[in-house]
Amino acid sequence: MDEKIVKDLIDRLIDLSFAEDIGDGDHTTLSCIPADAMGKSKLLIKEEGILAGIEVAKEVFRRFDPTLQVEVFINDGAHVKPGDVPMTVTGKVQSLLQTERLMLNIMQRMSGIATMTHKYVERLEGTKTRVLDTRKTTPGMRILEKMAVKIGGGVNHRIGLFDMILLKDNHVDFAGGIDKAITRAKEYCKEKGKDLKIEIEVRNFDELQQVLDLGGVDRIMLDNFTPENTRKAVEMVGGRYEIESSGGITFDTLRDYAECGVDFISVGALTHSVKGLDMSFKAC
């Protein structure tokens, strides 16, 4: 990921998150906690999983109150269990209370995604196949969710519509077919001076053969192929292009597809319906 893009999106997310949460002031905290009161809180893990979001949490604290002191004991990517304390934060009590929910929302979501991804990665152990995320992400939180996938051992697909060309079924149909879609994509990149990878989705063996006859792509996505047909498709491609399996693949069928020899399996479930990892931020 481009570091400038990542930083900009995280900064904007933090600004929006504080705007929607605090508004014109956290009147609960401001009404009962003196401005000069100092304290310390700890992040307490309440569920086993993979920790993710520590670095983003540090940025949340820094952006809100640079005087807050963060001490980290467990880093992103580590396996955590109930009772673990990954970090403590010391400083103004008002700041600790006002940053608590945003920090927890981010860390619980990211840790849940990292934990889920890790399970899929373990399921693929011993194969060459890597698990990919998708664009099925929470609006505004995509960068954080894709960071969490990487922390969990997965691989990021494109960030958005701007960093790769992915010709899906609707693009192919609206363009008038496989040949026209690929040809126009290549001409566009040349005209605009864009060095973008081109991936195309195929729905059947006829479309796959059209792609193989024309060439000019970097990756082929097999959409809703059965494991049996996936194996046949891998043989047809013969290593000429990267192959991604997508559509209707569950945790239980994941390894069946991997053993067909595909390079990637994209899984929307890594981000679109993940349960957050349980943790809390308690005074200590």
Side-chain angles (χ1 to χ4, degrees), residues 109 134-138 142 145 267-273:
R109 180 73 179 162
T134 69
R135 286 170 50 239
K136 297 175 183 177
T137 54
T138 309
R142 178 173 297 170
E145 294 181 349
V267 180
L270 297 183
T271 54
H272 70 53
S273 55

Side-chain angles (χ1 to χ4, degrees), residues 49-50 77 79 112-124 131 148-149 151-154 251 270:
I50 303 298
H79 182 272
I113 290 170
T115 300
M116 175 70 81
T117 303
H118 182 68
K119 291 178 181 177
Y120 275 79
V121 171
E122 284 188 321
R123 181 77 168 164
L124 294 174
V131 64
V149 167
I151 290 170
F251 184 79
L270 297 183

Side-chain angles (χ1 to χ4, degrees), residues 227-245:
E228 181 183 358
N229 286 342
T230 298
R231 190 177 301 277
K232 180 180 176 181
V234 170
E235 292 174 359
M236 287 176 64
V237 174
R240 285 174 285 175
Y241 305 101
E242 292 180 338
I243 301 176
E244 173 185 340
S245 284

Side-chain angles (χ1 to χ4, degrees), residues 141-165:
M141 290 193 69
R142 178 173 297 170
I143 286 296
L144 301 188
E145 294 181 349
K146 283 182 172 282
M147 288 171 62
V149 167
K150 289 192 72 173
I151 290 170
V155 178
N156 293 146
H157 208 300
R158 55 182 179 163
I159 299 175
L161 299 174
F162 58 89
D163 59 328
M164 182 179 182
I165 289 179

Side-chain angles (χ1 to χ4, degrees), residues 61-73:
F61 294 128
R62 187 194 69 79
R63 289 282 303 281
F64 189 82
D65 181 353
T67 68
L68 289 174
Q69 299 295 311
V70 182
E71 190 171 5
V72 176
F73 308 106

